[in-house]
Amino acid sequence: MTISSQDPAVAASLERELTREKDGLEMIPSENFVSEAVLEALGSVTTNKYAEGYPGKRYYGGCQFVDEIETLAIERAKLLFGAEHVNVQPLSGAPANLAAYSAVLKPGDTVLGMDLSHGGHLTHGHPVTFMAGIYTFIRYKTATDGSLDYDNLRAMALEHKPKLILVGYSAYSREIDYAKVKAIADEVGALTMADIAHIAGLIAGGEMINPVPLFDLVTTTTHKTLRGPRGGMIMCKAALAKAVDKAVFPGLQGGPHMNVIAAKAIAFGEALKPEFKEYARQIKLNAKVLEEELKKTGFRIMFGHTENHLLLIDVTGKGVTGKEAQLALDAAGITVNKNAIPDDPRGPMDPSGIRLGTPALTTRGMKEAEMRQIAVWIDRAITAHADPAALAAIHAEVTELARRFPIYQELNYQK
Ligand SMILES: *Cc1c(COP(=O)(O)O)cnc(C)c1O
């Protein structure tokens, strides 16, 4: 590596981050560990290239090889999800959503989306976002049994006549009945959009229902369960292809990040392999074991149970807040994030819950036995949240387990 000789300060921080990732248990459900091939593509010469436009229709010369790369990424994504049209240029999940909205909506149009505290994402109309100022978002919630409240969704759709009905989530642990949502949308003449940012890998692996054949628009990130580089993607029906492409470029973005698109192509290639199906299956299995073990120790799992890779847990019954639980787990080497629970009486900086998931641990090869052990540590750490010595003792055990499941063995930013 040349970073260490040229810039020791950055190299030292990179090395510390590498060690943190190797020695801890990464349980933030939106995180993962990409392959070394994906890392290599991110650091490739394609970062040098300007390629505004689309394959075969660029505004710059010298695009023949990046055209090959973007075409590969598009064709693989189409195959993976059965999409009619794919745009791989969105820089991340939030810009992909903004582009999808702007492709089909006019300012002031109404969108029906999921409430943030019930698992929706900020970009689904939270008042703090830019898009909330442009479009009129109405937000629906989950039912008390944890399922989506489809009757209420239909009633709201009939009342508000939205132009777009949006489903998808960041903290919800259940399956969505896309056919039901599509029927409601058809009844009121709305378009359908699914944001599968969190669950794209589970869908690609055949472990969750795929909305792509049914819905008008499907947006996703590529870096969560899909295990690719940090980025976004939009899939849509052929009839919307032109509008979506125009919305991304020139509507909202300039030159696409070709190094990221190369990495996306590689990640999609990995997701098309049979091993990825096994990976997706194990992610869900691990989440289920974790849920069962945590329930046994008295934790309250929101939405009833998990049908994907994540758990939203109310920790207040254990005498701690979400922030205190996150801090205790951090001190024990287990990384999670504090998170609001539905209609949380507490504020967003110190909510009632934590959110955790299994995609990154599963990438390391951990299975049911490790999940059982981790559930014990989570309970011990939260119970001992005010005891630094007890947390340090758990941390030592956590590091020992993590090192038995090595990642990035060849990487070294100090050489
Ligand atoms: C993560 C996420 C996003 C945003 O993705 P970024 O890459 O962080 O911009 C959008 N929607 C959902 C549902 C997400 O979970």
Side-chain angles (χ1 to χ4, degrees), residues 92-95 97 121 123-124 168-170 195 197-198 221 223-224 231:
S92 214
N97 283 347
H121 190 258
T123 56
H124 298 182
Y169 52 76
S170 308
D195 176 354
H198 257 261
T221 62
H223 51 276
K224 298 180 183 173

Side-chain angles (χ1 to χ4, degrees), residues 236-299:
C236 65
K237 294 290 176 204
L240 293 175
K242 271 212 175 90
V244 164
D245 285 353
K246 271 175 68 182
V248 174
F249 172 83
L252 287 159
Q253 293 185 183
H257 295 186
M258 293 314 306
N259 57 323
V260 181
I261 291 174
K264 285 174 182 171
I266 291 170
F268 300 159
E270 291 171 1
L272 281 165
K273 291 195 178 136
E275 301 92 281
F276 198 82
K277 286 197 165 46
E278 184 48 36
Y279 169 59
R281 197 188 66 83
Q282 191 67 47
I283 288 176
K284 270 180 75 173
L285 196 57
N286 283 350
K288 207 70 204 165
V289 171
L290 204 56
E291 173 197 317
E292 280 159 15
E293 297 300 311
L294 288 171
K295 265 185 179 164
K296 274 187 212 162
T297 55
F299 283 99

Side-chain angles (χ1 to χ4, degrees), residues 71-138:
T71 303
L72 272 175
I74 291 167
E75 291 308 318
R76 288 176 182 175
K78 279 185 175 173
L79 209 56
L80 202 51
F81 294 96
E84 290 178 13
H85 180 76
V86 179
N87 188 309
V88 294
Q89 295 190 4
L91 301 177
S92 214
N97 283 347
L98 187 53
Y101 298 147
S102 73
V104 296
L105 300 174
K106 286 200 240 1
D109 279 350
T110 299
V111 183
L112 204 50
M114 182 125 125
D115 189 88
L116 181 72
S117 83
H118 286 248
H121 190 258
L122 280 169
T123 56
H124 298 182
H126 193 280
V128 300
T129 60
F130 181 68
M131 24 238 161
I134 304 179
Y135 309 113
T136 307
F137 284 91
I138 311 281

